[in-house]
Amino acid sequence: MYLQEYQRWLQKATDDPDLIGELKKIEGNDEEIKDRFTLDLEFGTGGLRGVIGAGTYRMNIYTVRKATQGMANYIKKQGGAGRVAISYDSRNKSRRFSEAAAGVLAANGIHVFMYKELMPTPCLSFAVRELKCDTGIMMTASHNPAKYNGYKAYGPDGCQVANEAADAIYEEMKKTDVFDDVKTMEFDKALEEGLVTYIPEEVYEAYYANVKAQSVRPGVCAGTQMKLVYTPLNGTGNVPVRHILKEVGVANITVVPEQEYPDGNFPTCPYPNPEIREALEKGLALCRETGADLLLATDPDADRVGIAVKDGEDYRLLSGNEVGVLLTDYICKARMENGTMPKDPILVKSIVSTCLADAVAKSYGVTPVNVLTGFKYIGEQIHKLEEKGEESRYLFGFEESYGYLSGTYVRDKDAVVGSMLIVEMAAYYHSVGTSILERLEAIYEKFGRWLHKVDSFEFEGLAGMDKMKDIMAGLRAGAPKEIAGLAVVKTEDYQTHERRDTVTGQVEKIDLPASNVLVYTLEDGASVVVRPSGTEPKIKVYYSTVGKDLAEADAKREKLAQSVNGLLGF
């Protein structure tokens, strides 16, 4: 079958010269053909993601068109307004894929609002809500290597589509032949006929106004003597991040020249992820050269932001958990001081993010709400508040993977507002003669030295997937009573929705969507979270430990890891 499909693509895939050349190049290479044509890319809650290239198991204009036809069919069956917003990042083919998607929607009578130039993921979320669209499409593979691209789908609430909607779109895709069942129109013709319109300037301005409104100490950045180095990692952040920093008065910004402009090949960092030190090396070198106080780095679609801060003669990278805690503390303290703390405020964070944030939030009278991994679940909490007219209660949300959101104007993590608040926080501490690091140490002094670490275990092939299932089933069949000699005092199974107090035997219902996640809370307050990745063949184990200092917390984590490795069969 895969050879027949390959032959069909040779005949019909004529719209992209790059694909024609690739198809001819692999002629006679059975392994290459099999890899590209045996399977189709699956559409899930994250949309599509894959290697760019020719074939049904690759990201190309044909697989993009097929996904978009499935979306068009879904929109029509839902009886929506017939409006879709599209944005794209700096990745190779992102603009081309966006135009291909727009052509399909236009051919199906669905109006498209498209950003004229590359814009971050949060700007897509904003446009969906601002323009009252049925769905949104963001062409990005986030922080993956250059060979990847992806297609994120958003619902009318500005969140990534829910499981039910993703399943419905995928069902429509499976009924759609990649060539014969897809309606399409040339992008220029759709633009000329008014079926595609570029997103107006007022939407850009409204987005920036909403970001700026999240400042909790307006004016603190104006005239700051703090030095800042910024890298957009060749992505979409360059214009919007610099725009908002200029708006709040930050003047002393040096941009990493090799990473300033959009480049889908990411020539200076094979893995453009601000969580990884290698991606920040150019920025760190420039920091040392200029004596900067702070390094700011956004990923290609500018929904994540990482930082490094001056620490003596060198620079220290802060984790997503540490920045999340610092921003929680900064926002709460400022809101209390200026009298803008809402009634019954909440902090929303993922279950794998640090418990330290819960303690900090509670110290300010803020209720922490823990949700499943994935920022759409944070957006879902905002939506629930909005339905009750209580969205002002939402104070801040974050994930340990460098995603932050203040405000309710978008429903995804936003590195633009994250960047603004981080710089504002740094400028404030600088103005009162202290620093981000000193504040972090003060928090540790008060609440204990928390350490968070993630271990990943890879499982290759179909046998690997079965192994992962067996491990999770084994943990459920025989829940550990202790880990590294510490009693398990609470277990949480997000697949069965059960939270069990192992001391009293009391069982509570977890009011969250089902997810294959197990959480063990230990007698000393440490926790272990076991979670298969939703996008990769990996099981991830998240450790949270607390000690009087880093060495003690790390020693506890090492003992837990040894014990858990045994439970997992390693």
Side-chain angles (χ1 to χ4, degrees):
M1 287 294 290
Y2 64 87
L3 289 173
Q4 292 176 359
E5 187 64 12
Y6 166 70
Q7 290 297 327
R8 197 162 75 103
W9 276 61
L10 270 176
Q11 296 170 10
K12 294 195 172 189
T14 58
D15 289 353
D16 187 334
D18 291 343
L19 296 188
I20 296 169
E22 185 178 336
L23 288 166
K24 289 180 178 177
K25 187 176 179 180
I26 64 172
E27 191 166 10
N29 188 329
D30 188 71
E31 282 303 309
E32 289 284 354
I33 296 170
K34 187 176 182 180
D35 183 52
R36 286 167 169 77
F37 290 96
T38 300
L39 300 172
D40 291 345
L41 285 179
E42 291 189 10
F43 191 99
T45 55
L48 299 175
R49 184 174 295 181
V51 174
I52 301 166
T56 58
Y57 198 55
R58 293 289 188 271
M59 284 292 297
N60 53 66
I61 59 170
Y62 301 102
T63 51
V64 164
R65 285 173 178 170
K66 179 177 177 177
T68 310
Q69 185 64 55
M71 180 180 282
N73 295 346
Y74 168 76
I75 291 170
K76 288 182 175 181
K77 286 186 176 181
Q78 295 297 306
R83 298 154 72 95
V84 175
I86 297 178
S87 186
Y88 58 96
D89 70 2
S90 61
R91 287 184 173 273
N92 295 327
K93 302 282 187 178
S94 279
R95 172 78 191 200
R96 181 75 176 92
F97 292 166
S98 296
E99 292 182 354
V104 171
L105 293 165
N108 281 273
I110 295 171
H111 191 89
V112 175
F113 296 94
M114 183 167 159
Y115 280 107
K116 196 168 188 176
E117 59 278 298
L118 74 175
M119 290 293 284
T121 289
C123 294
L124 184 277
S125 176
F126 182 80
V128 168
R129 293 171 51 78
E130 187 77 359
L131 298 171
K132 296 178 172 56
C133 294
D134 302 294
T135 58
I137 300 169
M138 179 71 198
M139 296 297 174
T140 178
S142 189
H143 53 278
N144 282 57
K147 66 180 181 179
Y148 287 91
N149 210 327
Y151 178 118
K152 287 184 182 177
Y154 285 74
D157 57 357
C159 290
Q160 286 192 49
V161 290
N163 294 347
E164 297 79 11
D167 290 344
I169 293 169
Y170 189 40
E171 285 304 312
E172 293 296 332
M173 281 178 61
K174 287 191 286 188
K175 294 185 287 187
T176 301
D177 182 83
V178 70
F179 296 114
D180 300 338
D181 298 332
V182 177
K183 298 178 183 178
T184 189
M185 179 185 291
E186 286 297 321
F187 178 79
D188 289 343
K189 183 181 179 184
L191 197 62
E192 185 181 325
E193 294 186 7
L195 294 165
V196 174
T197 54
Y198 286 122
I199 290 173
E201 191 64 30
E202 306 89 80
V203 174
Y204 293 72
E205 292 170 357
Y207 169 76
Y208 287 130
N210 275 277
V211 172
K212 192 175 178 182
Q214 305 315 312
S215 169
V216 290
R217 284 193 172 96
V220 75
C221 290
T224 181
Q225 298 303 304
M226 187 180 65
K227 294 179 182 179
L228 171 68
V229 167
Y230 169 57
T231 172
L233 295 178
N234 300 116
T236 60
N238 189 34
V239 171
V241 170
R242 292 171 73 178
H243 176 96
I244 202 65
L245 293 181
K246 182 179 179 182
E247 281 279 301
V248 298
V250 179
N252 198 342
I253 305 175
T254 304
V255 181
V256 177
E258 302 95 330
Q259 298 173 337
E260 180 174 3
Y261 298 109
D263 188 339
N265 293 314
F266 308 113
T268 61
C269 52
Y271 204 79
N273 184 349
E275 295 180 69
I276 296 175
R277 189 179 185 95
E278 183 185 7
L280 306 186
E281 286 299 342
K282 291 286 184 184
L284 290 168
L286 193 54
C287 281
R288 296 182 190 104
E289 182 183 324
T290 61
D293 299 284
L294 176 69
L295 169 65
L296 201 66
T298 54
D299 70 344
D301 65 323
D303 62 352
R304 302 175 187 225
V305 54
I307 70 170
V309 294
K310 194 167 180 57
D311 185 13
E313 296 301 311
D314 206 356
Y315 292 84
R316 174 175 159 189
L317 274 63
L318 297 189
S319 70
N321 275 320
E322 288 176 320
V323 174
V325 166
L326 281 161
L327 286 174
T328 298
D329 172 70
Y330 173 73
I331 292 168
C332 289
K333 190 171 188 295
R335 290 279 205 129
M336 293 290 285
E337 289 174 356
N338 58 28
T340 59
M341 182 69 84
K343 184 181 178 183
D344 301 324
I346 65 169
L347 164 77
V348 189
K349 53 179 268 293
S350 63
I351 58 175
V352 297
S353 298
T354 178
C355 300
L356 177 56
D358 299 53
V360 170
K362 288 175 182 177
S363 73
Y364 289 103
V366 175
T367 300
V369 176
N370 289 284
V371 298
L372 297 176
T373 304
F375 221 88
K376 67 179 179 180
Y377 296 111
I378 295 177
E380 184 178 74
Q381 292 297 313
I382 299 173
H383 182 68
K384 287 179 179 179
L385 293 174
E386 188 178 49
E387 287 184 321
K388 296 185 288 185
E390 298 178 356
E391 60 265 37
S392 64
R393 291 177 58 201
Y394 173 81
L395 203 64
F396 182 59
F398 79 95
E399 289 188 321
E400 48 81 35
S401 54
Y402 291 62
Y404 317 102
L405 177 64
S406 176
T408 62
Y409 58 99
V410 298
R411 301 299 158 85
D412 209 340
K413 48 192 176 288
D414 185 355
V416 182
V417 78
S419 297
M420 183 193 77
L421 286 170
I422 288 166
V423 173
E424 179 184 305
M425 174 173 65
Y428 168 71
Y429 290 134
H430 193 269
S431 73
V432 296
T434 183
S435 69
I436 283 177
L437 276 187
E438 288 179 359
R439 183 59 192 169
L440 182 60
E441 290 307 316
I443 292 170
Y444 284 142
E445 182 71 24
K446 182 176 180 179
F447 296 101
R449 184 53 170 91
W450 285 79
L451 175 68
H452 307 277
K453 191 171 186 295
V454 183
D455 286 347
S456 290
F457 302 92
E458 294 195 26
F459 300 85
E460 296 296 334
L462 294 175
M465 298 301 286
D466 289 338
K467 175 71 171 173
M468 288 169 62
K469 291 176 183 177
D470 289 344
I471 287 172
M472 297 304 291
L475 289 173
R476 288 190 168 92
K481 292 182 172 57
E482 58 87 19
I483 300 176
L486 294 170
V488 175
V489 297
K490 182 172 66 177
T491 62
E492 294 167 281
D493 189 336
Y494 286 81
Q495 188 160 283
T496 62
H497 304 281
E498 284 189 351
R499 178 181 292 113
R500 182 180 298 273
D501 185 318
T502 59
V503 178
T504 65
Q506 184 178 356
V507 178
E508 298 177 355
K509 183 178 184 296
I510 298 173
D511 189 21
L512 289 173
S515 184
N516 193 10
V517 181
L518 293 168
V519 181
Y520 305 103
T521 303
L522 308 179
E523 60 182 309
D524 70 340
S527 66
V528 177
V529 181
V530 184
R531 168 183 167 262
S533 170
T535 57
E536 301 169 287
K538 293 179 180 179
I539 284 181
K540 294 185 177 182
V541 183
Y542 301 78
Y543 299 98
S544 292
T545 54
V546 62
K548 64 179 184 296
D549 54 30
L550 181 60
E552 183 177 85
D554 194 37
K556 288 182 177 182
R557 195 270 320 158
E558 180 62 32
K559 287 182 179 179
L560 291 179
Q562 290 176 4
S563 183
V564 169
N565 288 355
L567 288 173
L568 299 182
F570 294 104

